[in-house]
C-alpha cells in the first residue's frame, strides 16, 4: 500500500497557481494541524466527534440514570406488592379477627428484605392494616385505589413526605376473582438511583480524561497520517484512491463489479478462485462465463441480494449484491462472495449439539415429574421419539413395577413403547419377555454396559431371540438398535431400547454416548418412583389392615360406607361401627392430621382405643374425653422422643343410636358436623357442639340428642369430602346438602350420589363416608316390668318373663332366662336402691336388662367352698353369651345376652 500511495503521489499534477514546493517536517506538522491537509481536517473532525460523543454520553447517562431509577422503582414496587399479595396466608389473614397482628410483622420483614420504604396492606375501603409507622395504621391510604378495586394493578409517581417516590398498588383476590384487599409497596427514586448519582462526578472526571486521551491519540494519528500521506491534500488523495482496484485483490472476499449491461468489469483474485473464472473473464457477459445458472442469473440481474447461498462446484457461497446507481453512480452492481462451506458444517454440528442438549434437558424436566413407575417409563419413551430414535421401548422387572428391588433380572415386562407409527412388530406393552443370552439386551443386563447393533439384519444374536418376530422387525425397516441398561449404582432395573428405521445411517458411537446419558438421567427418576411405590404400598397395606374389613352384624342401622385414600399418600382417616348393649350401635369417624405411615399408625392406635373404650359403654362425651387424654399422651411421648417430630392432632365424631327409643346421642371433637336426611328427603346439619380437637386437653365435650324417625339417614364424613384447595368447607357443605336431598334412596345410593357430586379428580386428602339408615325396634319386641324392692317380687318376674317368651315362641329359652333374671333382680334388691326396672328385648339375640338407681357395679368373683353365696354372677356369666354393666344418669343397667336358638 505504501508503494501504491507513493506511485499515486508521483503521478499527481501540480496545483493551479504555481509549482509545489517541498515542505520540511516543521511546516508539515503545522500543515497537518492547520486544517489545510487531510491530516489537519481529520484531526479537527476527530476532536469534534470525540467531544460530541463524550458530551452526548454524559447527558444520555444522566437521563438514563434518572429514567432507570424511576423504572427500577416501578418494577420493584410492583414486584414486591404482587409477591406479598399472592404470598401464602395473606388473603386468609385479611379475614382473621386481628389482621394487623398477623400481617404487620410479615410486612415489615418483607419490607426490610426487599429494601422497600413501605409495604402497606389495606382493606377494600383503603384503611391501612400495616405501615412502617404504627401511628398511621388504621388511617386512610393516600393514592388512587379505584382501578385496584376493579381488579387491576396501578403504579403511581408522587411526591411524598420522604421525597419523590413510586408506589404500586395491587389487589388481593379470592379464588372466585373477588377483590378482598389491597397491597401497596413504595420506594423513593433516590433509594434506587442514588448510587449512580454519587458516581456522576467520577464519571465526569473520567470523561474529561477520556477527552484528553482522545485528543492526544488523535494528534498522534494525525501525525501518523501526515507521514503516510506525505502531506497530500484532498485533491491529491482523491487522485490516489482512483487506484483502489489494486487494493481489492488483497481482500479475502470475492468482489465482482458488473456494468449495467451485465458485463463483468472487475473480479478480484478471490472471486476468480471461488467462481473458477477464465483468464479473459473481464469484459465478457456474466452469462457467458460458464457459471451455475442461478448464480449467473443473480450476477447479471443486478438485483439486491443479502446472504443468498448458492452451490458453486463443491462450495456454498454466500452472495451479497447491491446496485451502484443508488446515489447517482454509474449503472451496474457490486457483489461480494464469501465461502460458507466450513461455516455451514460447523453450524450443523452446533445445531446437532444444541438439539442433544435440549433433549437431555427435556428428559431431566419431563421424566422426573411423576412418582409412578409406569408413567415415568412412558415419558422416557415419548421424549426420545422422534428426536433421538424412531421407536423406543422400556422393559422393566415386575419387582420394580411393584416397588421392590429385582433379585437378578431374568424376565422383563414391556412397560412402555412409543414410535413414529403404531404398527411396528415389536413386543407389545404388557408382554413378559425373557431375553436369550446372545441378545444385546441380555448382554447389557449382564455387563451393565450399553450395546449398539448397527445392522440388525447382520446380528445373529438378536435374530435368535424370536425368529418370526425379528424377521418381521427387519422387514418392517427397523435396522439399528441401541440397548442401555436402566441402572442406579449396582441395581439393574431393566433395559431401554432405541430403534431406528427412517434414517438410513446406523447408530454411531456419539449417539451411543447420548443414549447412555439419557437413560442415566431417567434411571434416577424411575428408581425414585420405585422407592415411592414401595413406601406407598407399605403405607396403604398398613392402613387397610387397620381399617374394618367387615362390619359387625347388627339390626339397628343399615350401613353403607366408602373409603378413598388420597392420591399423593395415605392419611389418617378412619371409621368404625360398634354394636353396644341393648341393641344400640355406635358409629364413629375420625381424622388424624398428616399423611404417611405416622398418620396411619396413629389412626390404628385411636381405632383400637375406641374399641376398648366402647366396651365400657360410656356416653359419647366421656369416650371423647378418654381419647383426648390418649392423644395428649401420644403427643408427649413423641415430643420426648424427637423434638422435631410433628405433634399429633386428630378429630373425631362419636354417635350412639338406640333403636328402642330412636334417640341418637352425638358428640364431636373438632370434626365436621353430621348430616341428617329425614324420611321426607330434607337435609339438615344438626347443631352438635363442636368441641376442641383431640389432644388439646382441658376442655369438656358436650353431647346432642337427636330424635331419628325410622327411615332417616345419618351421614358421617371426614373433611376430605367437603373441603379441598378449590373450595372452602361452607361451599362443600352446600354441595353435600344438594347431593343428599331426596327420598327413596338406599344408603348405598346415597354414598354414591355424595361421591359423584363432591369427589375431586385427584383427591389431596383421604375421604371416609358412612351413611346409616335408621331402623326402629317396635314395641312388640320389647317387654318391661317395674319390680318392687322385695324378695317376693322375684317369682312374679319369673312368671311374667315365662309368659312373654311363650308369646314370642321362645319357650325353650324360658328356664335359662328365668335363672338369669332371678339372679340379676335378686342382686338389685339386695345391693341396689330405688325402683327396679326389668326390660327384655328380642332382636338378633335375647337381651335381659335390670336397672336401678344405684351406681355400684357388681363384679364377678369366685366363691370359696365355705361361702354360702356369691355365685349368682358366675352363674349368669356361664348361661349368657355376654353380660355387662352400663351407667345412666339415673343409675346403672346390668344386662345379659343369649343367642336365639
Amino acid at each position: 500500500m505504501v508503494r501504491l500511495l507513493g506511485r499515486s503521489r508521483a503521478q499527481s499534477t501540480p496545483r493551479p497557481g504555481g509549482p509545489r514546493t517541498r515542505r520540511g517536517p516543521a511546516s508539515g506538522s503545522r500543515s497537518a494541524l492547520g486544517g489545510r491537509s487531510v491530516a489537519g481536517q481529520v484531526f479537527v473532525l476527530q476532536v469534534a466527534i470525540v467531544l460530541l460523543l463524550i458530551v452526548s454520553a454524559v447527558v444520555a447517562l444522566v437521563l438514563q440514570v434518572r429514567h432507570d431509577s424511576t423504572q427500577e422503582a416501578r418494577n420493584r414496587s410492583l414486584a414486591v406488592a404482587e409477591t406479598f399479595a399472592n404470598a401464602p396466608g395473606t388473603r386468609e389473614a385479611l379475614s382473621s379477627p386481628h389482621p394487623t397482628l398477623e400481617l404487620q410483622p410479615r410486612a415489615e420483614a418483607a419490607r426490610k428484605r426487599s429494601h422497600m420504604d413501605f409495604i402497606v396492606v389495606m382493606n377494600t375501603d383503603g384503611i391501612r392494616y400495616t405501615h412502617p409507622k404504627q401511628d398511621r395504621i388504621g388511617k386512610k391510604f393516600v393514592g388512587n385505589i379505584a382501578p385496584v378495586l376493579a381488579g387491576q394493578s396501578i403504579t403511581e409517581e408522587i411526591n411524598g413526605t420522604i421525597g419523590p417516590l413510586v408506589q404500586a398498588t395491587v389487589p388481593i383476590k379470592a379464588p372466585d376473582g373477588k377483590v378482598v384487599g389491597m397491597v401497596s409497596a413504595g420506594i423513593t427514586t433516590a433509594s434506587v438511583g442514588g448510587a449512580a448519582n454519587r458516581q456522576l462526578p467520577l464519571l465526569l472526571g473520567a470523561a474529561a480524561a477520556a477527552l484528553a486521551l482522545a485528543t492526544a491519540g488523535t494528534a498522534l494519528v494525525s501525525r501518523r497520517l501526515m507521514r503516510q500521506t506525505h502531506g497530500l491534500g484532498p485533491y491529491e488523495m482523491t487522485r490516489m484512491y482512483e487506484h483502489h482496484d489494486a487494493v481489492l485483490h488483497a481482500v479475502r472476499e470475492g468482489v465482482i463489479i458488473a456494468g449495467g449491461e451485465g458485463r463483468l468489469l472487475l473480479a478480484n483474485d478471490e472471486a476468480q478462485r471461488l467462481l473458477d473464472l477464465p483468464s479473459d473473464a473481464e469484459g465478457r457477459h456474466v452469462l457467458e462465463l460458464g457459471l451455475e445458472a442461478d448464480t449467473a442469473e443473480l450476477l447479471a440481474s443486478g438485483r439486491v441480494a443479502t446472504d443468498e447461498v448458492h452451490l458453486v462446484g463443491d462450495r456454498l457461497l454466500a452472495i451479497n449484491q447491491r446496485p451502484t446507481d443508488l446515489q447517482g453512480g454509474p449503472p451496474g452492481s457490486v457483489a461480494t462472495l464469501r465461502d460458507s462451506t466450513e461455516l455451514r458444517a460447523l453450524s450443523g454440528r452446533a445445531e446437532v449439539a444444541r438439539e442433544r442438549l435440549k433433549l437431555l434437558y427435556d428428559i431431566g424436566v419431563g421424566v422426573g415429574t411423576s412418582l409412578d413407575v409406569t408413567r415415568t417409563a412412558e415419558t422416557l419413551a415419548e421424549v426420545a421419539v422422534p428426536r433421538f430414535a424412531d421407536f423406543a421401548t422400556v422393559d422393566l422387572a415386575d419387582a420394580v413395577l411393584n416397588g421392590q428391588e429385582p433379585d437378578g433380572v431374568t424376565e422383563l415386562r414391556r412397560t412402555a413403547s412409543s414410535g413414529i407409527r403404531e404398527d411396528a412388530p415389536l413386543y407389545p406393552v404388557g408382554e413378559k419377555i425373557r431375553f436369550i443370552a446372545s441378545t444385546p439386551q441380555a448382554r447389557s443386563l449382564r455387563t451393565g454396559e450399553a450395546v449398539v447393533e448397527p445392522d440388525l439384519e447382520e446380528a445373529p444374536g438378536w435374530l435368535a431371540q424370536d425368529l418370526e418376530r425379528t424377521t418381521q422387525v427387519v422387514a418392517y425397516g427397523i435396522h439399528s438398535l441401541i440397548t442401555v441398561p436402566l441402572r442406579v449404582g449396582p441395581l439393574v432395573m431393566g433395559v431401554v431400547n432405541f430403534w431406528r428405521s427412517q434414517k438410513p445411517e446406523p447408530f454411531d458411537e456419539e449417539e451411543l454416548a447420548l443414549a447412555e446419558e439419557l437413560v442415566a438421567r431417567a434411571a434416577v427418576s424411575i428408581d425414585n418412583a420405585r422407592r415411592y411405590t414401595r413406601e406407598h404400598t407399605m403405607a396403604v397395606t398398613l392402613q387397610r389392615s387397620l381399617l374394618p374389613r367387615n362390619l359387625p352384624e347388627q339390626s339397628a342401622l343399615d350401613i353403607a360406607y366408602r373409603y378413598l385414600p388420597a392420591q399423593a399418600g395415605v392419611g389418617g382417616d378412619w371409621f368404625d361401627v360398634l354394636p353396644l348393649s341393648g341393641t344400640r350401635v355406635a358409629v364413629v369417624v375420625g381424622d388424624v392430621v398428616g399423611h404417611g405411615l405416622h398418620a396411619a399408625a396413629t389412626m390404628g392406635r385411636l381405632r383400637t382405643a375406641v374399641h376398648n373404650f366402647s366396651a365400657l359403654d360410656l356416653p359419647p362425651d366421656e369416650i371423647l374425653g378418654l381419647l383426648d387424654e390418649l392423644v395428649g399422651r401420644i403427643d408427649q411421648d413423641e415430643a420426648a422422643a424427637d423434638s422435631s417430630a410433628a405433634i399429633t392432632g386428630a378429630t373425631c365424631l362419636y354417635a350412639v343410636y338406640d333403636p328402642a327409643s330412636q334417640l341418637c346421642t352425638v358428640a364431636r371433637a373438632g370434626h365436621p358436623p353430621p348430616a341428617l336426611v329425614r324420611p321426607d328427603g330434607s337435609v339438615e346439619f344438626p347443631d352438635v357442639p363442636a368441641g376442641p380437637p383431640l389432644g388439646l386437653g382441658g376442655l369438656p365435650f358436650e353431647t346432642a340428642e337427636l330424635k331419628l324417625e325410622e327411615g332417616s339417614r345419618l351421614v358421617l364424613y371426614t373433611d376430605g369430602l367437603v373441603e379441598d384447595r378449590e373450595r372452602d368447607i361452607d361451599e362443600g357443605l352446600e354441595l353435600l346438602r344438594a347431593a343428599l336431598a331426596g327420598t327413596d334412596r338406599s344408603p348405598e345410593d346415597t354414598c354414591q350420589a355424595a361421591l359423584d357430586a363432591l369427589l375431586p379428580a385427584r383427591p389431596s386428602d383421604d375421604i371416609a363416608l358412612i351413611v346409616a339408615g335408621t331402623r326402629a325396634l317396635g314395641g312388640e319386641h320389647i317387654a318391661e316390668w317395674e319390680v318392687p324392692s322385695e324378695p317376693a317380687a322375684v317369682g312374679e318376674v319369673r312368671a311374667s318373663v315365662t309368659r312373654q317368651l311363650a308369646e314370642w315362641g321362645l319357650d325353650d329359652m324360658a328356664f335359662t332366662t328365668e335363672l338369669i333374671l332371678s339372679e340379676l333382680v335378686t342382686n338389685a334388691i339386695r345391693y341396689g336402691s330405688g325402683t327396679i326396672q326389668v326390660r327384655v328385648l328380642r332382636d338378633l339375640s335375647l337381651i335381659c336388662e335390670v336397672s336401678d338407681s344405684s351406681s355400684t357395679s357388681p363384679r364377678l368373683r369366685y366363691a370359696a367352698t365355705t361361702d354360702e353365696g356369691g355365685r349368682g354372677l358366675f352363674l349368669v356369666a356361664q348361661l349368657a353369651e355376654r353380660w355387662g354393666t352400663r351407667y345412666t344418669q339415673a343409675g346403672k343397667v346390668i344386662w345379659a345376652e343369649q343367642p336365639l336358638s
Side-chain angles (χ1 to χ4, degrees), residues 188-211:
T188 60
T189 54
S191 299
V192 179
N197 289 332
R198 289 191 296 272
Q199 294 176 357
L200 189 56
L202 179 60
L203 176 64
L204 293 176
L211 177 59

Side-chain angles (χ1 to χ4, degrees), residues 645-664:
I647 299 299
T648 302
T651 64
C652 183
L653 189 149
Y654 194 94
V656 177
Y657 174 68
D658 186 353
S661 62
Q662 297 182 352
L663 291 178
C664 182

